[in-house]
Amino acid sequence: MTTLNIEQWGLFETRFTGPAEGNPFLDVTFSAHFTNGDQTLKVNGFYDGSGTYCIRLMPTALGTWNYTTHSNASALNGLTGSFECTAPSAGNHGPVYVHNTFHFAHADGTPYYPFGTTCYAWTHQGDAMEEQTLATLKEASFNKMRMCVFPKDYPWNKNEPPLYAYERDADGNHDFTRFNPAFFQHFEQRVGDLLMLGIEADIIIFHPYDRWGYARMDADTDFRYLSYLIARLAAYRNVWWSLANEYDFMLEYKPMERWDRFFQILMAEDPYNHLRAIHQGHPEDMYDHNKPGVTHVCIQHPQVRQVVQWRKQYGKPIVDDELEYEGNIFYPWGGISAEEEVHRFWLMVLNGGYAGHGETYMHPDDVLWWSKGGVLHGESWKRIAFLRQLVEAAPGGLSPEIDADSGVFPRPVSQWLWNRYAGGFSGDYHLLYTAEYQPRTLMLWLPQDDSYQFELIDTWEMTITPAVVRKLAAPPSYAYPAPGRPEPTYEVDMPGKIRMALRITKR
């Protein structure tokens, strides 16, 4: 008999025929235990329609995996099988987890720096536009996509979806006890398409913008839906769980204890411990991200310099996935310039956090990237890709200079300057950003060392050029007198232009 080979962190799937009568979604329980040496994973299966039941596993270790099924239906109970887990292929680094408190890495240790975008309802636009979105993503440089499971009812997003999450009768009434497998098959196909592009799927499980009844399902229906989603999708290595877009807009009918319970279900039923977060609308209604179920902070806030405080407050990675969007719609949250979008990315990243992109330009057919996907019309995405290249070339995730005695600026001048500029460092690597300011020179207090390399970066033109740098034997005439404090050691010529950056490395 031929042995089935599945690569580590790939997707193993096996299907069985079982009961189709009654309501299998309610009546049949189905799970399996997978073992490999002393490792055991319990995986819930799911009903996929037409009498078909499915079990999926993301194998986390090399070697032989054996499984045994468990069910209250005799036809599905006690079934056994095995497969061989082989080495991962090139580009497969496993799922993403938290790394070094404020950053991320794949399971094999490869660093991961999220530079994501938002296309809330892109999987509900029909194949032609969805394929266009994928083609755009292939050319762009985003490595994370925020996307809703359910369709969305919102300005610029009023079309009816091709598929519905639950079975419907002739009058359009949903049966919330019966999932529509075709809906979830299509959704997971798109998750798989993102996986092939190297993009993490940041899956938004609930949202308030709804006319189909999904947002106001009762607690038992919510819990059943969440369990079904985990059973179907957890085996995809590129999955992140985002419990909600703007959860606080649903507190009237989904109270706080239900959101806490959602986190508990994710922790109990996802055997791979995928990343978990939740997103708020109003800044004053942030979820308590200190709760243990939250792996990282997903936030919506235009005041991105607060990332320094959020790091202190939560001690977890910070991702401002809605720092407002490049576009020209009526609402200010979707009307900032490309320059401002890029500027906020630089402030977030150099202060030790991460950011998310969105684009909301008016379109005659209401095809806005942020809602439906399609093509990108703006300019920020190219500069975000440039920043991603710079960050990935760094020796590790950046820590904010504002809290550190890194040697660039001495205290107390450092606190005053970093509240205006921004800077991130990793060891001897420094990346400085002048933000809204346009100096013609920068003084630095780093130890004089001929192994330093100074490079000037134009964040908009996306150019990197050697900086003109002078070692100082004495402070320049414009230096503040500072008795008892270190004297500056370098002077760097700057172009007198806003939003420039200086990269300092050691050869």
Side-chain angles (χ1 to χ4, degrees), residues 421 434 436-442 492-498:
Y421 301 155
T434 63
E436 304 94 332
Y437 301 93
Q438 50 184 9
R440 288 304 306 268
T441 60
L442 281 178
V492 183
D493 285 350
M494 300 294 289
K497 179 180 176 182
I498 64 171

Side-chain angles (χ1 to χ4, degrees), residues 3-15:
T3 301
L4 178 64
N5 292 323
I6 302 293
E7 66 179 282
Q8 188 178 18
W9 306 305
L11 193 152
F12 167 78
E13 176 180 295
T14 185
R15 292 174 173 267

Side-chain angles (χ1 to χ4, degrees), residues 321-370:
D321 272 312
E322 287 194 47
L323 44 66
E324 298 184 331
Y325 302 136
E326 175 192 355
N328 58 7
I329 63 174
F330 167 77
Y331 303 103
W333 54 258
I336 66 174
S337 68
E339 291 86 351
E340 179 66 16
E341 180 97 352
V342 174
H343 169 59
R344 294 185 191 185
F345 259 79
W346 274 82
L347 290 177
M348 276 296 300
V349 173
L350 268 64
N351 279 309
Y354 298 96
H357 160 274
E359 188 183 283
T360 47
Y361 283 106
M362 296 289 288
H363 187 277
D365 298 320
D366 283 352
V367 181
L368 281 63
W369 174 263
W370 138 94

Side-chain angles (χ1 to χ4, degrees), residues 211-335:
R211 65 175 181 268
W212 302 277
Y214 303 134
R216 292 178 178 265
M217 298 185 301
D218 62 29
D220 287 343
T221 305
D222 277 350
F223 299 151
R224 190 163 55 245
Y225 154 65
L226 180 55
S227 292
Y228 189 73
L229 198 66
I230 295 168
R232 293 199 73 115
L233 289 171
Y236 289 82
R237 66 176 176 270
N238 64 324
V239 161
W240 297 28
W241 302 120
S242 180
L243 270 177
N245 182 64
E246 297 173 336
Y247 89 99
D248 48 317
F249 296 170
M250 294 178 275
L251 283 171
E252 175 187 353
Y253 43 91
K254 293 190 196 302
M256 187 65 75
E257 57 266 24
R258 197 182 305 183
W259 296 105
D260 294 341
R261 177 63 182 148
F262 292 151
F263 274 110
Q264 294 166 7
I265 291 172
L266 285 170
M267 289 188 288
E269 297 185 15
D270 175 3
Y272 318 107
N273 199 33
H274 286 295
L275 292 169
R276 300 176 298 268
I278 191 168
H279 169 281
Q280 98 294 334
H282 296 305
E284 64 270 20
D285 290 328
M286 286 175 64
Y287 188 80
D288 181 3
H289 301 289
N290 284 309
K291 292 180 180 179
V294 182
T295 58
H296 64 287
V297 177
C298 174
I299 198 168
Q300 173 177 192
H301 209 297
Q303 303 301 322
V304 295
R305 284 188 180 274
Q306 292 190 39
V307 62
V308 176
Q309 178 58 39
W310 297 329
R311 282 170 51 108
K312 295 175 183 176
Q313 183 176 357
Y314 298 116
K316 296 177 181 180
I318 310 296
V319 185
D320 191 341
D321 272 312
E322 287 194 47
L323 44 66
E324 298 184 331
Y325 302 136
E326 175 192 355
N328 58 7
I329 63 174
F330 167 77
Y331 303 103
W333 54 258

